[in-house]
Amino acid sequence: MTRYFTKEHEWIQVDGDTATVGITDFAQESLGDITFVELPDAGRAVTAGEAVAVVESVKAASDVYAPVAGTIVEGNPALDAEPELVNSAAETDGWLFKLTLTDAAALSDLLDEAAYKAYIAEL
């Protein structure tokens, strides 16, 4: 599995033609305590850069964007009862949604882990 990142602080991990998407540790730390997560419905077709989920914290509500185009497979059901899972495990169990990739070649437009770390170091 390969993991990619966006400058909007989403991570995407690809396994075959299915991608799991979440927000990065940097993003969850910036937001503070997560209080609610609005997830996309399964079956929804999304385009790259489209706002598809919302993460609300004690500080603000933030859109989460689709890193690539695809069709939503599922939202993380664990977040309905435990949205704070995004804070405690943002880059593992706190994933937000899974999608089936429309065009795997679009992954080349995203950052690898080293490039993302360099990007956030400049913020």
Side-chain angles (χ1 to χ4, degrees):
M1 288 186 270
T2 304
R3 186 172 280 209
Y4 303 89
F5 297 85
T6 70
K7 289 186 176 180
E8 288 72 36
H9 309 292
E10 290 97 7
W11 59 265
I12 175 171
Q13 185 165 305
V14 180
D15 184 11
D17 65 348
T18 301
T20 303
V21 179
I23 63 171
T24 65
D25 276 329
F26 178 86
Q28 67 83 16
E29 286 174 12
S30 298
L31 287 167
D33 294 336
I34 305 299
T35 57
F36 180 76
V37 179
E38 182 180 321
L39 300 172
D41 293 326
R44 177 178 165 188
V46 300
T47 59
E50 179 180 344
V52 296
V54 177
V55 176
E56 293 184 21
S57 71
V58 294
K59 292 181 180 177
S62 296
D63 288 332
V64 178
Y65 304 96
V68 294
T71 301
I72 301 295
V73 177
E74 68 174 315
N76 185 347
L79 298 180
D80 288 337
E82 193 179 357
E84 62 273 16
L85 192 57
V86 176
N87 288 118
S88 62
E91 297 191 17
T92 55
D93 295 338
W95 59 273
L96 300 179
F97 57 90
K98 294 184 179 185
L99 59 81
T100 302
L101 300 172
T102 299
D103 179 12
L107 295 169
S108 64
D109 295 337
L110 303 176
L111 305 172
D112 63 18
E113 186 168 1
Y116 179 71
K117 285 182 178 180
Y119 172 70
I120 61 173
E122 295 175 2
L123 298 178

